[in-house]
Structure formats: C-alpha cells, structure tokens
C-alpha cells in the first residue's frame, strides 16, 4: 500500500471504493466489488486489499475514507441486501434512533440508503478510538444524504475528539483517523469492516486485507524462514517465497455479480410471515456458505512454485465456513484424501508458536490464521499438487470428515488452489522447519479471577419450529444457569487494566463458534465436555497467542487473557452472520 509520508509514523490515506475486478476465471464476466486502496493511486483498489507492512515500534496512522459514492458525488446503495429489521447502524433513525432495532408495521424491503463503514485491525492491541468499534461508523461525505439521517454512529464523535486531543489530527466528514502503535509481537494481522449489523455484507463485498507486523524481539532474522514477501516497488519478475493467502467462499450470478441471499427462505425454507406477524428477520440468514472458493481475489487460482520451501500465511476470511486444508495429488479423490506434503505450522494468530508443529491438515475457523512452511524440495518439476478443503458445506460442529460430516464438494468448495512445480530459480538458504528455533515465548502469568460466559441461540417465540431467531452471548449466573444477553444490554465484561483472567466459554449450542476478543492476544488453557467431562489440553498448534478460539458445541473452552489498556471494546462470534444479529457484546476495560 503506497505511503503518503516517510517522516514520523507511516502515514496512509486508504479509501473504500466500488470497482470491478476479474474474480471468476478468464472469459467470465468481471465482478463489481467494494474494497480498500490508496486514495492517491486508483490502481491499488483491489479485493482483497493490498497488504499493509508494519514494523515493530514504528507507528502507523491511517485515514480511513468512506468513498462509496458515484462520479456525481451521490451515495452508492449496498451491493447486497441489507436487512433493516436487525439491531444495526440504522442511519435512517437519526441521532436518536441510530444503532438500534427499528420498528416496522409491515415487512420492509432492503435498506437502500448510504452505507456506513468502520475498519477494525483484527488482532491489534488498539486504543479504543482506533479499534473500529461497531457503533463508531460513518457514512460517505455524499451530497445527497437526507438531512434526517445520522451521518455517524453513537461513539464516532467521542472517539474523534479523543483521537484529535491525543494526536492533533482532526477527523473530517466521511472518514476516521486511526493510530496503531505496533508494539505487539510480530504477527499476521488483518483488517476488515466492523459496522454494527452489516459486517457480514461489507466483508462479503470485499472489505478485507492483511496487515503484517514484523520485527521486534518476537520475530526471526531475515532469511531464517522463506522470503521475500511482496513489497512496494519490487521490480517485475521478483520471485516471492513468502505469500499471504486469504481464503473466502462466495457465490456469483451468471453476470459475474456477487450473490448473497435476500430471504430467510434460502436458509430453512421459511417464507414468512415476517413483520409484524413473526419475530424472524426476513432477510437475515443464520449462516451463509458460498459455492465457490476465492483465494486472494480469484476463484481456484494456479500458483507456480519452485522445488524449495515456501512460507504461507493462511487466513480463513470466510463469513461462516470452517476450512480443513491439506495438500494432495488428486483434488477429486474420495475424502479424506492422504496428504502429499506436510504443513509445518510455525505461527498462529498472535505470532510464532513456542515450537514448529508438523501437520497433515489445517483446521481454520473464520478469522483464524496459520503461519505455515511447506517444503516442495522433493517434488519433481512439472508435478501438479492441490490445496483442498475437507471442511463441510455446512456449519461446523467438530469431528472428523467421513465419520462426523461430509467433506465439501470436491469439484467446487473442496478445491482452493493448484500448485505447479517449476524449475528452481533461487537457491533455498532458509532453515528446514524441523530445525527451526522460534523466538522465546513468554506465557501469561497467574490469573486474578475466572469469568464465566455463555454462547446460545433462541428460537422464534411466535412461529413453532423456526430457529434460530438470533444467536446470543451471555453469562453463567451464580446458580450455574446461562443468562443470554443482547448487544444493547448493560456491560457484564468489565475487567481492570493489568488484570489477567480466565474466561470459561460455555458453548450451549449445537455448532462450533470462533470467539474473538478485541484488544488482546490470549492463550488457550483447555477444553472440557459439558457438564463435567475430563479436561483436555489445547492442541499443539494452539499453544501460542491467539485472538480467536474455536469453542466446540456442548463444551467449555478456557482461555487466559491479560487486558493491557482501558477502553470500550467488544467480543463476539466471528461467524459474521451471528455477529450481525446479537452474538456480540460490549467489553469495557476499566482503569485499575
């Protein structure tokens, strides 16, 4: 991503615009998307966004600009159907009723007004005013926004004043200025939209990208692991041996446009009645899994690799789909397919692991990352290998493919990427993964308290057999029973700055949920089958720092969390459809 300045912090001005891109195979129509890019370099607007490279100890300042306007300065309606019956940003409510669940006397159509955005740096230890809080959104500075609309979310102005007082940089209409200190462990972070009630749609439309933090005491010296990675200004023909890979599922219409369901009926066949006769949202789908795999903005791409080691930073950027990735010889073989090459995992969400872990496959829930080394040295030139997905074409509930669930369709969602082995160009001087000594890992200290939280779903109270109506978080009360809470309920998670807590996450649903806590990197402690099964330790690849943990159904997942700075944050399920309909709660870190 091009810089505006090299003096002081790294300074960027990054917009969100509408553009067209060839996502489908050549010969098929291009796709209209929304995505990030440098406002001074139109050619940088891309899905996914160009990667932001950050250095440990060097601050980054980004002016995030909502440019979802047409050439005449008029706002662009959403590319996808916005369900206005959810608890969402709701600009039509004005200052009084923004960030609320509107009341309707009949079933409304999709919201077609100006679109709010706010960007979250996922995995960063961000100050509250730069975290991308769900109610700190803002509309584009379009010329035709109705006067009675709210142009900003409930916390935008408070955070704008706090940020300007701290850094001396004002925010202007249609934008927010976020500051990232970059004092964390070197890690694979990513940024995406986080607007209340429409995160699933804004991310699905294309608003996501990598943010790679390098250097510092928790990184390796250059050359120890495969590299280089793509960098700004690289000459044509530069060979890359470190490659960020974001995997997402999408569906497309025959004209190339994105498809996302406009009716609940696609999920479970429920065609109404909706408002006012029932309490089921008319457009919201509890999960949506696309029928095509998109890797770095292309469906089923081909990557030429040399017979040497490569570093891949994998991100599951899907809305709801869990991925089980492996490298095989035959992409159409009966599942499960024997792995052809090992996947050496050296890092997770929060940076390097304590030691490398050799794996045949990677399980990644939505928002999870895996830093992986793959050694193609033994593979003959001309060989074709495939990165496949054996996760289900359905919500994931744990278990193994073939025994507990059917694998994804081998012809479509079961294929991710093809590797073609080409002749060696550059000698490999990186360290074999089995011999790597990773940076020193310092675990968190003893916990000050244990906090018990819950995950649940609720069915319709008006239409028998229709479920879920919404997904919820909550607490476990003193009587041991769950109390489910919505986004607007009073804050119940209010740790003190500097405190270390054990969070017991009690998943009372039938599906697994990836739980993300903002502002922190935590450690997985253990898991336990409900109500009182034996505890089992975290998997070997979960023993580093993480910001997203997979909470399996009917289990308690324990994580240890240290809270480093005061502020207003949030925690939520990272199945975006769940997050958008109440499975998100405010988190208030209070001064000690």
């Amino acid at each position: 991503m091009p810089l505006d300045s090299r003096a002081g912090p790294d300074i960027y001005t990054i917009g969100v615009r509408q553009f067209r891109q060839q996502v489908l195979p050549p010969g098929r129509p291009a796709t209209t998307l929304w995505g990030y890019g440098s406002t001074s370099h139109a050619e940088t607007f891309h899905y996914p966004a160009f990667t932001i490279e950050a250095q440990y100890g060097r601050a980054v300042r980004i002016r995030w600009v909502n440019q979802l306007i047409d050439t005449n300065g008029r706002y662009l309606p959403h590319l996808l159907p916005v369900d206005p019956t959810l608890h969402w940003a709701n600009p039509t409510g004005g200052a009084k009723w923004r960030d609320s669940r509107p009341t309707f006397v009949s079933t409304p159509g999709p919201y077609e007004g100006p679109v709010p955005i706010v960007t979250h740096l996922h995995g960063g230890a961000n100050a509250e005013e730069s975290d991308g809080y769900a109610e700190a959104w803002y509309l584009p500075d379009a010329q035709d926004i109705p006067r009675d609309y709210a142009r900003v979310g409930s916390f935008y102005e408070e955070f704008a004043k706090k940020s300007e007082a701290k850094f001396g940089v004002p925010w202007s209409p249609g934008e927010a200025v976020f500051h990232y200190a970059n004092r964390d462990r070197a890690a694979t972070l990513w940024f995406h939209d986080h607007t209340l009630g429409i995160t699933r749609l804004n991310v699905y439309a294309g608003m996501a990208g990598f943010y790679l933090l390098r250097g510092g005491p928790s990184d390796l010296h250059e050359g120890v692991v495969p590299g280089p990675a793509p960098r700004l200004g690289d000459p044509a023909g530069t060979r890359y041996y470190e490659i960020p890979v974001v995997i997402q599922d999408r569906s497309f219409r025959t004209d190339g446009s994105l498809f996302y369901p406009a009716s609940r009926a696609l999920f479970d066949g429920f065609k109404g009645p909706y408002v006012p006769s029932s309490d089921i949202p008319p457009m919201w789908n509890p999960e949506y899994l696309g029928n095509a795999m998109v890797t770095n903005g292309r469906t089923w791409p081909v990557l030429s690799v040399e017979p040497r080691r490569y570093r891949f930073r994998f991100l599951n950027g899907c809305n709801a789909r869990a991925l089980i990735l492996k490298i095989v010889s035959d992409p159409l073989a009966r599942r499960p397919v024997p792995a052809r090459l090992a996947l050496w995992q050296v890092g997770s969400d929060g940076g390097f692991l304590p030691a490398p872990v050799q794996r045949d496959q990677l399980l990644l829930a939505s928002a999870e990352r895996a830093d992986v080394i793959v050694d193609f040295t033994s593979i003959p030139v001309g060989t074709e290998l495939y990165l496949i997905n054996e996760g289900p074409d359905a919500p994931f509930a744990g278990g193994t493919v073939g025994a507990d669930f059917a694998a994804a369709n081998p012809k479509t969602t079961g294929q991710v990427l093809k590797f073609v082995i080409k002749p060696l160009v550059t000698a490999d001087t990186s360290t074999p993964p089995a011999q790597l000594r990773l940076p020193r890992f310092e675990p968190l200290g003893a916990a000050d308290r244990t906090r018990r939280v819950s995950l649940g779903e609720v069915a319709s109270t008006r239409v028998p057999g229709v479920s879920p109506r919404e997904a919820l978080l909550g607490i476990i009360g003193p009587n041991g029973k769950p109390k489910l809470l919505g986004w607007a309920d009073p804050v119940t998670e209010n740790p003190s700055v500097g405190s270390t807590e054990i969070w017991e996450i009690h998943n009372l649903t039938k599906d697994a949920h990836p739980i993300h806590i903002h502002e922190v990197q935590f450690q997985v402690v253990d898991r336990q089958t409900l109500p009182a099964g034996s505890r089992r330790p975290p998997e070997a690849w979960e023993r580093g720092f993480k910001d997203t943990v997979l909470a399996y159904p009917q289990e308690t997942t324990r994580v240890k969390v240290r809270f480093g700075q005061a502020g207003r944050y949030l925690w939520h399920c990272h199945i975006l459809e769940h997050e958008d309909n109440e499975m998100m709660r405010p988190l208030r870190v209070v001064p000690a």
Side-chain angles (χ1 to χ4, degrees), residues 442-448 499-502 523 525 545 560-562:
E442 296 184 8
L444 298 174
D448 304 307
S499 65
T500 300
E501 298 188 349
I502 299 291
Q523 290 181 264
V525 176
F545 283 106
K560 184 185 290 186
V561 192
R562 186 180 187 278

Side-chain angles (χ1 to χ4, degrees), residues 93-117:
K96 184 176 181 180
W97 298 111
R98 61 188 170 183
D99 299 316
S100 69
R101 185 188 297 271
T103 300
F104 295 93
V105 296
S106 61
T107 302
Y111 167 80
E112 295 182 344
V115 177
I117 70 167

Side-chain angles (χ1 to χ4, degrees), residues 212-467:
L212 304 183
L213 179 56
R214 301 183 188 271
S218 299
D219 204 358
L220 292 170
H221 293 297
E222 187 172 338
V224 176
V225 291
R231 304 248 182 181
L232 185 67
D234 285 338
T238 301
R239 311 290 293 194
Y240 300 118
Y241 305 107
E242 178 194 324
I243 303 174
V245 180
V246 55
I247 302 166
Q248 298 172 299
D249 56 343
R250 296 290 185 267
S251 297
F252 301 86
R253 296 184 176 86
T254 55
D255 64 359
S257 62
L258 290 170
F259 171 83
Y260 190 89
S263 171
R264 167 73 180 231
L266 190 69
F267 176 74
D268 59 6
F270 180 67
K271 298 180 180 179
Y274 298 113
V275 180
S277 303
S278 82
D279 53 0
I280 297 296
M283 297 166 227
W284 176 74
N285 278 232
E287 296 93 14
Y288 181 65
L289 281 67
N291 59 16
M293 301 306 290
V294 180
T295 304
N296 286 0
R298 297 295 297 268
T299 50
W300 304 293
V302 177
L303 177 64
S304 295
V305 296
E306 300 170 32
R308 51 160 297 155
R309 288 180 286 275
Y310 281 73
R311 180 184 187 184
F312 297 106
R313 297 179 186 247
F314 289 112
L315 160 63
N316 180 345
C318 301
N319 277 26
R321 180 186 294 273
L323 302 171
I324 299 176
L325 304 174
K326 62 173 64 170
I327 297 176
V328 304
S329 297
D330 182 359
L332 299 177
R334 183 175 179 177
R335 270 51 172 168
V337 189
R340 177 71 181 272
L341 287 177
L343 300 162
W344 282 88
Q345 186 169 348
V346 297
S348 57
D349 305 342
F352 283 113
L353 296 171
V357 180
Q358 183 177 358
R359 306 179 64 180
D360 288 333
Q361 63 184 30
L362 299 176
L363 167 61
L364 290 177
S366 297
E368 288 190 300
R369 286 89 73 203
D371 195 346
V372 172
I373 294 174
V374 178
D375 193 345
F376 295 96
T377 302
S378 63
I379 307 301
V381 171
T383 302
E384 295 181 349
L385 299 177
Y386 297 83
L387 181 68
I388 66 166
N389 166 42
E390 291 188 341
D393 283 331
F396 181 65
T400 58
V401 64
D404 301 295
F405 58 85
N409 187 335
K411 295 181 180 179
T412 54
T413 51
Q415 294 191 46
V416 177
L417 173 67
K418 181 165 81 170
F419 299 105
V420 178
I421 314 301
K422 299 291 186 178
L424 184 68
V425 174
T426 306
D428 189 354
T429 59
S430 67
T431 302
Q435 301 173 21
L436 276 173
R437 296 189 64 182
L438 300 180
R440 181 182 176 185
F441 182 82
E442 296 184 8
L444 298 174
D448 304 307
R449 64 163 290 176
T450 296
R451 190 180 297 273
R452 304 171 74 198
V453 299
S454 66
L455 318 180
E457 294 179 345
V458 292
S460 173
T461 60
R462 300 184 189 177
V463 186
V466 180
S467 183

Side-chain angles (χ1 to χ4, degrees), residues 17-35 45-48 79-80 201-207 248-260 291-300:
R17 293 180 186 172
Q18 181 168 296
F19 53 89
R20 289 177 63 78
Q21 181 176 313
Q22 192 66 46
V23 179
L24 296 169
R28 299 294 183 93
T31 300
T32 299
L33 299 160
W34 289 353
F45 282 84
H46 191 267
Y47 159 65
L79 297 174
L80 307 170
L201 305 176
N202 286 356
V203 173
Y204 194 96
M207 295 169 59
Q248 298 172 299
D249 56 343
R250 296 290 185 267
S251 297
F252 301 86
R253 296 184 176 86
T254 55
D255 64 359
S257 62
L258 290 170
F259 171 83
Y260 190 89
N291 59 16
M293 301 306 290
V294 180
T295 304
N296 286 0
R298 297 295 297 268
T299 50
W300 304 293

Side-chain angles (χ1 to χ4, degrees), residues 523-536:
Q523 290 181 264
V524 181
V525 176
D526 60 34
R527 293 183 174 89
Q528 183 179 18
T529 303
L530 293 170
S534 59
R535 297 190 180 194
R536 65 184 191 277

